[in-house]
Amino acid sequence: MENLRNRSLSELEELVLSMGQPKFRAKQLFGWIYKGKTSFREMHNLPEVFVKKLEESCTIDALELVTVKESSLDGTRKFLFRLADGNAVESVFMRYKYGNSVCISSQAGCRMGCAFCASGLDGLVRNLTAGEMISQVLDIERETGEPVNHIVVMGTGEPFDNYHELSRFIRIMNDKNGANLGMRSFTVSTCGLVPKIARFAEDFPQVNLAISLHAATEEGRSAIMPVNRSYPLSVLIPAVKEYTNKTNRRVTFEFALIHGVNDRDEDVEALYKLVKGMLCHVNLIPLNEVSETGFVTAGRARAREICEELERRGVPATVRRQMGADIDGACGQLRLENSKKTVE
Ligand code: SAH
């Protein structure tokens, strides 16, 4: 049985034609899928013969919801979903004044191995399909009964390590016949897979890009982010400059502050020197502590101090708002907790 959430409109058209139906049926079907329907029976404008045929070989599957935790502070909800093959992925729903945001995972696990991150502790299991990314959004819309206005690809996984499915995901969710989310409603975060940054500027010049920086010296960055050994700052920063020149879009540098590792005065100085004059914005994140890693957070007060200093020296900076503080720490921890439970 094929899950139709993994097809673009043109791929649905091929399917519909192969079933002997007129091409316009694909648009109807696509429209229903993005209205959240999971049963062909509910698609009132499709003829009975076609519905029967669809039921023989296709489904529109929601993911299995394993757990949901809701914050009593700000309404943030963290979802743990099980994929058809048993792997679990985490997604987060956040309510902001300008709309609802969903943070999705792009891979089960991750192979980037950042020292402070929970998602990579068990390595990469596999890439998610576009359909599995789409499902995270559609199922959260269904669970919350609220529309999703903004999608951030900042959950488990390195989206640029799964570029093909990431691209399909964005294009399908952007299609005006379905979810119709504007290109500017997406934000993709990468640890810095340099060749993909240029490609992304070509393919998706309107999509927001965030770069996980976390250290401003080669030595410091290589110590906590193995990716820096393949794509050091000396090639990453020029690639980001090329990106901003080409797209004229401001990039966000994410900087998770770790006590004694990247929050010292000399680290702030190096950060300032590295990014000054760039079309960028620095997002300072007090580290979410992951007990397995042993790293300690620099705390919000230090984050605010660094933020003020950067701003004073002309580098736009903010401290990331903490959402859902009462319902678990860092991204990836829900999934990790769950996999431990299954192992034990
Ligand atoms: N692989 C992509 C996207 C997923 S991670 C990337 O690296 O950008 C999303 C963001 O959360 C990244 O900036 C990542 O470095 C950060 N992050 C990971 N673990 C964290 C932790 N324990 N505390 C704070 N931020 C963390």
Side-chain angles (χ1 to χ4, degrees):
M1 288 290 218
E2 184 194 338
N3 187 355
L4 295 188
R5 283 184 174 175
N6 199 30
R7 285 209 183 212
S8 65
L9 177 55
S10 61
E11 290 163 346
L12 274 182
E13 282 169 352
E14 279 169 30
L15 178 79
V16 162
L17 289 172
S18 77
M19 290 178 162
Q21 287 287 324
K23 198 168 144 189
F24 75 89
R25 294 280 177 225
K27 233 177 225 174
Q28 295 177 318
L29 188 52
F30 192 74
W32 285 119
I33 294 174
Y34 292 88
K35 283 194 181 84
K37 298 292 182 216
T38 49
S39 156
F40 300 115
R41 297 268 147 210
E42 295 173 72
M43 303 179 177
H44 308 301
N45 53 4
L46 301 185
E48 177 67 20
V49 278
F50 183 36
V51 168
K52 280 223 171 87
K53 236 185 185 150
L54 284 167
E55 283 177 339
E56 281 165 21
S57 58
C58 306
T59 57
I60 305 166
D61 286 328
L63 302 172
E64 182 196 334
L65 180 58
V66 182
T67 51
V68 50
K69 288 190 177 181
E70 178 162 5
S71 167
S72 53
L73 303 173
D74 52 31
T76 296
R77 280 184 238 181
K78 294 197 178 180
F79 294 84
L80 187 72
F81 292 112
R82 188 159 353 258
L83 307 174
D85 67 354
N87 277 300
V89 293
E90 229 176 295
S91 334
V92 187
F93 172 84
M94 290 160 288
R95 222 177 257 136
Y96 291 100
K97 359 182 226 303
Y98 51 80
N100 297 324
S101 227
V102 163
C103 174
I104 65 147
S105 295
S106 57
Q107 297 179 312
C110 182
R111 61 187 177 128
M112 296 299 126
C114 298
F116 47 83
C117 179
S119 296
L121 286 173
D122 294 333
L124 176 68
V125 182
R126 68 167 174 87
N127 283 332
L128 300 193
T129 63
E132 288 168 331
M133 297 184 229
I134 290 164
S135 278
Q136 295 173 58
V137 180
L138 293 182
D139 294 345
I140 285 182
E141 282 188 331
R142 197 158 82 153
E143 287 295 324
T144 58
E146 293 188 42
V148 169
N149 314 102
H150 191 208
I151 294 175
V152 297
V153 189
M154 279 196 193
T156 298
E158 167 50 48
F160 282 0
D161 191 33
N162 184 14
Y163 194 88
H164 183 256
E165 292 302 300
L166 172 78
S167 307
R168 295 185 60 238
F169 165 71
I170 296 173
R171 291 196 202 287
I172 296 173
M173 294 302 287
N174 175 244
D175 194 318
K176 60 180 188 327
N177 299 292
N180 193 21
L181 275 168
M183 285 292 180
R184 294 191 180 214
S185 314
F186 296 86
T187 300
V188 173
S189 177
T190 178
C191 65
L193 298 183
V194 167
K196 296 292 171 10
I197 295 176
R199 181 145 172 224
F200 198 67
E202 274 300 321
D203 295 346
F204 300 102
Q206 307 258 59
V207 170
N208 303 296
L209 181 65
I211 309 278
S212 296
L213 192 60
H214 305 318
T217 63
E218 299 289 9
E219 208 191 350
R221 194 163 188 268
S222 291
I224 55 173
M225 299 179 70
V227 68
N228 199 65
R229 293 173 213 153
S230 309
Y231 302 111
L233 290 171
S234 60
V235 304
L236 174 62
I237 297 298
V240 173
K241 284 180 181 160
E242 235 168 81
Y243 172 91
T244 54
N245 283 341
K246 183 152 197 229
T247 60
N248 225 359
R249 304 295 310 275
R250 185 178 296 273
V251 293
T252 298
F253 284 119
E254 291 156 279
F255 206 95
L257 290 162
I258 311 172
H259 177 69
V261 173
N262 63 5
D263 73 332
R264 299 159 300 182
D265 290 345
E266 71 231 52
D267 301 311
V268 181
E269 189 60 30
L271 174 58
Y272 167 72
K273 288 205 175 110
L274 190 70
V275 306
K276 72 168 190 286
M278 289 179 74
L279 184 57
C280 75
H281 164 264
V282 176
N283 197 206
L284 299 158
I285 311 156
L287 181 84
N288 271 311
E289 290 178 359
V290 178
S291 60
E292 288 86 343
T293 71
F295 287 120
V296 175
T297 183
R300 286 197 92 69
R302 180 63 180 144
R304 259 186 239 115
E305 228 170 66
I306 296 172
C307 184
E308 274 163 28
E309 178 172 345
L310 290 174
E311 287 264 288
R312 189 169 45 75
R313 297 172 82 180
V315 173
T318 44
V319 177
R320 180 178 289 173
R321 236 182 93 193
Q322 197 176 15
M323 306 287 282
D326 53 334
I327 50 162
D328 243 317
C331 339
Q333 285 182 345
L334 213 57
R335 176 174 172 270
L336 201 65
E337 220 175 75
N338 183 266
S339 72
K340 275 197 210 127
K341 265 185 229 147
T342 10
V343 172
E344 277 160 15

